[in-house]
Amino acid sequence: MEHCLGSGFAMTPDLAGQVDWLFSDMICYPQRLFTLVSQWVEARAMKHALCTIKFQSEADHNMIQRFLSLPGSSIRHLACNKHELTWYWEGPEITEEGK
């Protein structure tokens, strides 16, 4: 386990390498979070992700669909979430041959 100081947006797959879990509860616009997690999904650099999608008021249904368009995605509105949704992603098993 390693601890890194700095912006969560600076921690890209090429710097961090393969991770089992990617967690995010960063305060940011949903588009910025989508851009970040898309990098990780495309790089096949994580096995699971759990992130909070934070909306300023009403949920943006187009943005929700963008997150759900990532294969392996699901979204839940948890009991303590107000203007937030929780995005869970589970990727396919990654083998050395599959990289």
Side-chain angles (χ1 to χ4, degrees), residues 51-91:
C51 302
T52 306
I53 306 169
K54 298 176 185 283
F55 297 101
Q56 290 185 318
S57 58
E58 296 300 313
D60 177 344
H61 295 282
N62 290 329
M63 184 53 58
I64 294 168
Q65 288 305 312
R66 291 189 70 195
F67 276 92
L68 288 172
S69 73
L70 297 169
S73 293
S74 63
I75 292 180
R76 298 288 183 264
H77 185 254
L78 301 180
C80 292
N81 291 153
K82 292 181 183 177
H83 297 295
E84 302 173 346
L85 295 174
T86 301
W87 175 72
Y88 172 72
W89 181 86
E90 183 171 21

Side-chain angles (χ1 to χ4, degrees), residues 2-96:
E2 293 182 35
H3 176 78
C4 301
L5 295 177
S7 169
F9 294 102
M11 188 55 61
T12 57
D14 58 318
L15 293 175
Q18 179 73 33
V19 299
D20 288 330
W21 282 91
L22 177 73
F23 292 98
S24 171
D25 192 36
M26 294 185 285
I27 298 171
C28 64
Y29 290 109
Q31 176 59 50
R32 189 157 188 210
L33 179 64
F34 181 79
T35 299
L36 176 74
V37 299
S38 294
Q39 288 178 348
W40 285 85
V41 170
E42 290 170 16
R44 298 182 61 144
M46 63 183 180
K47 295 179 183 176
H48 310 276
L50 189 67
C51 302
T52 306
I53 306 169
K54 298 176 185 283
F55 297 101
Q56 290 185 318
S57 58
E58 296 300 313
D60 177 344
H61 295 282
N62 290 329
M63 184 53 58
I64 294 168
Q65 288 305 312
R66 291 189 70 195
F67 276 92
L68 288 172
S69 73
L70 297 169
S73 293
S74 63
I75 292 180
R76 298 288 183 264
H77 185 254
L78 301 180
C80 292
N81 291 153
K82 292 181 183 177
H83 297 295
E84 302 173 346
L85 295 174
T86 301
W87 175 72
Y88 172 72
W89 181 86
E90 183 171 21
E93 286 297 316
I94 299 174
T95 62
E96 288 301 313

